[in-house]
Amino acid sequence: MAIETDTKLTSSHWGVGVVRTRNGRIRTVEDYSGEPDASHLNGNIAASLNGDARVLRPAVRSGWRDGSACERGRDRFVEVSWDEALDLIAGELTRVRRDHGNRAIFAGSYGWASAGRFHHAQSQLKRFLNTIGGFVRSEGNYSYNAALVAMPHIVGDGFRRHVAEATRWPVISKHTELMLLFGGLPMRNTQVSDGGMSRHRMAGNLAECVRNGVRFVNVSPLRTDVDAGLGAEWLAPRPGSDTAIMLGLAHTVLENGLHDEEFLARYTVGFDRVAAYLSGETDGVRKSAEWAGKISGLSPDRLRALAMDMASKRTMISCVAGLQRADWGEQPLWACVTLAAMLGQIGLPGGGYTIGYGVNGHIGNIARPFRWGAFPQGENPIKDFIPVAMISDMLLNPKGSYRYNGQTRVFPDARLVWWAGGNPFHHHQDLNRLRQAFQRPETILVNELNWTATARHADIVLPVAAAPERTDIGGGQSDNILVPMRKAVEPPGDARVEYEIYTALSKRLGTFDAFTEGRDQQGWLRHLWAQTQDAADAFGARLPDWDSFIAGDIVEVPDPAPGQVFLSDFRADPVANPRPTPSGRLELFSDTVARFGLPDCPGHATWNVPRDQAEGRFPLALLSGQPATRLHSQFDNGAVSVAQKVAGREPVLVNPRDAKTRAIADGDVVELFNDRGRCLAGARVTDDVMPGVVFLWTGAWYDPDFGAPGHRDRHGNPNVLTHDLRTSDFSQSPASHSAQVDIRRFDGPVPAVRAFDPPEFTTEDPVGGV
């Protein structure tokens, strides 16, 4: 007889879920009833956590265990006891630290992991490693790394603060007349936010903008990068041409004397250098609307008219994060600030610019009123790091030098890699190169829920509990709601909560007291809640005691800044509120950056041709983006994600013109290819994507067919096609949106997708009993 248990709340990066269980297993996770516009991604959780791919027991790669040469990613695994797995890990940590030092441990562990203030995968791992002498970390992120490095030079302050201070959408709805959306405003991105989002507010705020007559212009190769309900004008440029478009608009403003000279003189430095570049005085090339039209494919007349409109109306310029994930990705950011400064509306309600709208569902909608308690990572004695997108470079070129943000740095010699809470075989570029790089370390450890490609490339895989399988506190990085996440079921098989794993390891390594500080899981949860209560008291809000909170419903605290306008204080008084740049103003030309001596970044916004386009070997631009069916690669084997596959593969959007010339019909299995790799996908023929461009969603679990040419991916992961070059030596950011490919109908026998199957296991034990 089936036994239903009481429901419990959980929290994910895409919202609050109501967990329903049966016979000790998760039956469904439903959307919270109070949601105004739920994402429905909770529908992925149950099928994934109960699926065949779940890691149930500690496992060791056979070739690593017996010293054979079988490469990672193709080898079999042996399931072992927890004691054996932990003894092996403790021994490897001790060996690497003794022989090579802690600088030989890399634990960047980039990824979104699960929501929760205590059971945060990277914080747990990094705290543990810090108690044994530290590790080399990664710096930055794949979403907007170029902004993290470049914007402090241009505007001052860290870019994360810029995002937190973005002009609120209710302000835009009241004051903005024209909103120019470079890269659109993808609603699929606004389903999620790091750490959790408990209210999806974007649809309601945009509806208010429409009611108030805000006019939207979508500058993107993809029509659906803006919701149809906004009635946006669609201008479809060639991918990678946004900087040229912004410069062409700026030239028109300058040429017609529409730039705000008073604003430029009072609030910026370096406009004279920008004006010389726009006029062609610097390089002999006028950055006119005709010049921009030739590069972008847009009508010069339309660009000129748009520039005149921008100068005559309260205009907000929005630049999505995806523009910087391309060759020379720092430049559209700089050009966006430059164009907005020329219009002179920065700091006014509804005017200026924002970089990052649409990165997640909170920007411009809500903010965290105070800092929630969080599991402390402690102090890392190792100060070395690598830029987040240089994993392959580090592993393939140990002790090699590289440039970064004006510095010359040296890669560490990583002998041991530990990954927790992320999936580099989803987010990193050129996966064939990453596979080569993952053969180099002596030991790779991975904590995982499922047998992803990252787990398959590990030497030791540790099965870990998922969010509904442990008790935690939900609180997003920029949310105003706290969620009681009560444990709903026990972890399956031998999976463990990560705090228990590190506690057991710390006993073996003599750091138990330093890691635990005398607290068990319940002790830490109560401690973090007490910290959160103290912060709430200082803010003027009251929170319930721990027992009432964890047994109750969500708790909402006030929005700290509903009328926020970005840089309004600076505009009101730039002397009293200077920007933290060398000049105290917006640096349209930066002497600091110019002194870096980078030929592709001379100190102001500059146009450079994307590298794959310059080679001209493949005719179609490949774009990829966050899907509406999951967060990145999380729970790709869940019900919502699987239901949207085409022939079991990730959909690729193809324009009818490109499909016709290649005899591709909607629903066909197709092969995308270039010199770096190839993958299969399911064709969706649609005029929502412009001719000359294909759009393949990110996050399909990497599924190489080692018997096929180029180890063809069977499932549709775009990163087998993207190059592993950086934006530039300025920020060393990922540049995946600058790939060129071709596509053809796949007419041979279609191979089965194996991404959701577990690896092959063996019970053979060359070194003594399993």
Side-chain angles (χ1 to χ4, degrees):
M1 178 179 176
I3 300 175
E4 298 271 357
T5 63
D6 62 322
T7 59
K8 294 180 173 67
L9 298 183
T10 189
S11 182
S12 301
H13 301 293
W14 49 85
V16 180
V18 181
V19 183
R20 303 188 186 278
T21 63
R22 177 180 293 162
N23 294 337
R25 300 188 71 182
I26 297 171
R27 180 168 62 85
T28 61
V29 181
E30 300 168 3
D31 295 325
Y32 184 72
S33 61
E35 259 281 17
D37 185 37
S39 73
H40 308 305
L41 296 185
N42 282 319
N44 280 322
I45 296 175
S48 181
L49 295 185
N50 295 325
D52 292 340
R54 190 71 192 266
V55 183
L56 297 174
R57 280 166 284 281
V60 180
R61 185 171 66 85
S62 296
W64 183 85
R65 198 164 187 242
D66 64 21
S68 65
C70 188
E71 68 179 23
R72 294 183 176 106
R74 303 180 69 170
D75 205 353
R76 299 180 297 174
F77 284 83
V78 178
E79 292 182 329
V80 301
S81 69
W82 269 107
D83 278 342
E84 181 173 349
L86 294 172
D87 287 344
L88 287 170
I89 292 171
E92 279 300 281
L93 290 170
T94 299
R95 178 189 66 81
V96 171
R97 293 163 60 211
R98 180 194 64 227
D99 295 347
H100 307 288
N102 282 69
R103 196 171 179 268
I105 299 172
F106 176 71
S109 288
Y110 177 86
W112 280 52
S114 299
R117 304 303 296 171
F118 174 56
H119 296 293
H120 180 250
Q122 290 92 341
S123 294
Q124 293 273 341
L125 172 60
K126 292 172 182 179
R127 177 182 176 86
F128 166 72
L129 291 176
N130 284 340
T131 65
I132 64 168
F135 60 96
V136 173
R137 61 183 174 85
S138 62
E139 182 166 286
N141 64 39
Y142 282 80
S143 295
Y144 46 80
N145 194 74
L148 290 173
V149 177
M151 295 306 286
H153 293 286
I154 304 166
V155 183
D157 272 341
F159 180 67
R160 288 185 176 89
R161 183 166 178 178
H162 295 197
V163 168
E165 295 175 348
T167 297
R168 292 295 185 87
W169 282 101
V171 175
I172 291 172
S173 73
K174 294 175 183 176
H175 298 280
T176 301
E177 297 174 89
L178 172 63
M179 189 157 191
L180 186 59
L181 302 169
F182 284 97
L185 186 69
M187 290 298 289
R188 59 187 183 274
N189 292 4
T190 67
Q191 298 179 73
V192 301
S193 191
D194 43 334
M197 61 180 310
S198 306
R199 293 279 190 274
H200 290 78
R201 300 171 172 88
M202 184 62 113
N205 281 332
L206 288 178
E208 187 65 20
C209 289
V210 173
R211 284 192 290 270
N212 289 345
V214 179
R215 178 178 147 222
F216 294 92
V217 178
N218 174 26
V219 185
S220 170
L222 189 65
R223 186 200 312 267
T224 52
D225 268 344
V226 168
D227 187 80
L230 298 189
E233 177 187 4
W234 183 29
L235 301 179
R238 294 188 184 100
S241 64
D242 300 89
T243 299
I245 295 169
M246 294 179 201
L247 294 174
L249 294 170
H251 180 275
T252 300
V253 170
L254 177 64
E255 185 178 48
N256 288 276
L258 301 175
H259 55 297
D260 189 328
E261 294 183 352
E262 182 180 348
F263 181 92
L264 291 167
R266 188 178 187 199
Y267 298 98
T268 77
V269 295
F271 180 69
D272 56 333
R273 303 289 290 268
V274 172
Y277 180 70
L278 293 174
S279 67
E281 179 184 333
T282 303
D283 59 3
V285 178
R286 293 174 67 247
K287 312 307 180 297
S288 64
E290 285 77 13
W291 170 85
K294 184 176 180 181
I295 293 169
S296 67
L298 300 179
S299 161
D301 288 341
R302 184 67 197 93
L303 292 177
R304 274 191 292 268
L306 181 59
M308 304 293 280
D309 254 4
M310 294 168 68
S312 64
K313 293 178 170 59
R314 183 63 58 87
T315 300
M316 174 66 78
I317 305 170
S318 170
C319 180
V320 300
L323 298 189
Q324 64 192 291
R325 294 195 295 273
D327 291 351
W328 332 117
E330 303 86 3
Q331 301 310 316
L333 311 179
W334 215 331
C336 178
V337 176
T338 300
L339 178 57
M342 291 176 65
L343 297 177
Q345 298 181 25
I346 292 173
L348 295 177
Y353 78 94
T354 296
I355 292 167
Y357 283 139
V359 167
N360 63 42
H362 285 149
I363 298 172
N365 289 307
I366 198 68
R368 183 173 64 179
F370 50 86
R371 183 175 175 82
W372 321 129
F375 190 53
Q377 296 182 12
E379 182 72 21
N380 187 352
I382 304 298
K383 303 306 177 186
D384 203 4
F385 66 87
I386 64 164
V388 68
M390 300 192 81
I391 307 160
S392 295
D393 304 78
M394 173 190 72
L395 295 177
L396 293 171
N397 189 28
K399 300 182 181 179
S401 64
Y402 64 96
R403 297 289 304 281
Y404 171 72
N405 200 11
Q407 306 170 357
T408 298
R409 301 184 57 84
V410 176
F411 288 120
D413 186 0
R415 304 302 182 99
L416 184 148
V417 172
W418 197 334
W419 215 281
N423 183 8
F425 281 88
H426 149 64
H427 57 247
H428 197 70
Q429 301 80 231
D430 195 346
L431 294 185
N432 285 316
R433 184 171 188 251
L434 184 66
R435 282 196 71 253
Q436 295 173 12
F438 260 57
Q439 308 307 319
R440 299 295 292 271
E442 296 167 358
T443 303
I444 297 178
L445 314 175
V446 169
N447 302 0
E448 253 296 0
L449 301 173
N450 286 306
W451 281 103
T452 64
T454 300
R456 294 169 189 265
H457 283 80
D459 300 313
I460 302 176
V461 180
L462 301 180
V464 295
E469 299 160 1
R470 60 201 185 198
T471 296
D472 210 339
I473 303 164
Q477 295 289 334
S478 48
D479 203 4
N480 70 327
I481 290 176
L482 292 158
V483 184
M485 301 169 63
R486 287 186 291 158
K487 181 178 179 179
V489 295
E490 293 294 328
D494 292 338
R496 288 187 179 181
V497 171
E498 282 166 291
Y499 186 74
E500 297 174 354
I501 297 172
Y502 300 124
T503 298
L505 279 172
S506 68
K507 288 180 180 178
R508 286 166 166 80
L509 296 173
T511 57
F512 178 80
D513 291 340
F515 178 72
T516 67
E517 294 186 20
R519 298 185 183 98
D520 59 10
Q521 293 180 64
Q522 185 68 208
W524 272 110
L525 288 166
R526 290 181 178 276
H527 177 68
L528 299 184
W529 186 250
Q531 290 182 332
T532 306
Q533 286 181 301
D534 290 343
D537 289 344
F539 178 74
R542 292 301 300 266
L543 296 177
D545 63 68
W546 168 253
D547 292 319
S548 299
F549 167 72
I550 202 63
D553 205 343
I554 64 173
V555 175
E556 186 167 359
V557 292
D559 182 350
Q564 180 172 274
V565 174
F566 183 52
L567 295 182
S568 58
D569 290 346
F570 172 64
R571 185 184 185 100
D573 191 339
V575 176
N577 304 295
R579 300 304 300 165
T581 59
S583 64
R585 292 183 276 176
L586 309 181
E587 303 222 343
L588 307 186
F589 175 86
S590 167
D591 282 321
T592 300
V593 175
R595 287 196 297 269
F596 293 170
L598 305 175
D600 48 46
C601 193
H604 58 74
T606 306
W607 162 250
N608 299 296
V609 180
R611 288 166 286 207
D612 263 20
Q613 287 184 23
E615 290 183 6
R617 300 196 59 242
F618 293 91
L620 301 175
L622 171 70
L623 295 181
S624 55
Q626 161 70 17
T629 58
R630 59 182 173 268
L631 168 60
H632 305 320
S633 67
Q634 287 192 20
F635 301 135
D636 184 31
N637 60 339
V640 176
S641 181
V642 169
Q644 297 302 311
K645 306 280 184 179
V646 176
R649 283 151 243 277
E650 199 62 23
V652 58
L653 307 184
V654 187
N655 183 271
R657 186 188 308 174
D658 297 319
K660 183 177 181 180
T661 62
R662 294 164 174 82
I664 293 171
D666 193 78
D668 281 348
V669 174
V670 294
E671 182 182 44
L672 292 84
F673 61 94
N674 59 20
D675 289 340
R676 290 180 287 271
R678 52 186 68 195
C679 70
L680 301 182
R684 281 284 177 246
V685 178
T686 173
D687 59 7
D688 283 340
V689 65
M690 67 179 285
V693 177
V694 291
F695 194 104
L696 179 59
W697 306 108
T698 62
W701 286 1
Y702 175 51
D703 187 27
D705 183 350
F706 294 111
H711 301 329
R712 180 196 298 118
D713 171 60
R714 293 172 284 214
H715 195 200
N717 190 309
N719 277 326
V720 300
L721 304 160
T722 53
H723 69 59
D724 200 19
L725 303 173
R726 305 286 82 71
T727 52
S728 75
D729 285 348
F730 184 4
S731 72
Q732 296 288 0
S733 300
S736 55
H737 287 325
S738 290
Q740 296 287 129
V741 302
D742 206 345
I743 186 172
R744 59 192 168 209
R745 189 178 65 210
F746 190 75
D747 292 326
V750 179
V753 173
R754 302 295 186 194
F756 304 147
D757 298 337
E760 184 179 351
F761 294 99
T762 178
T763 57
E764 297 177 3
D765 181 18
V767 294
V770 177

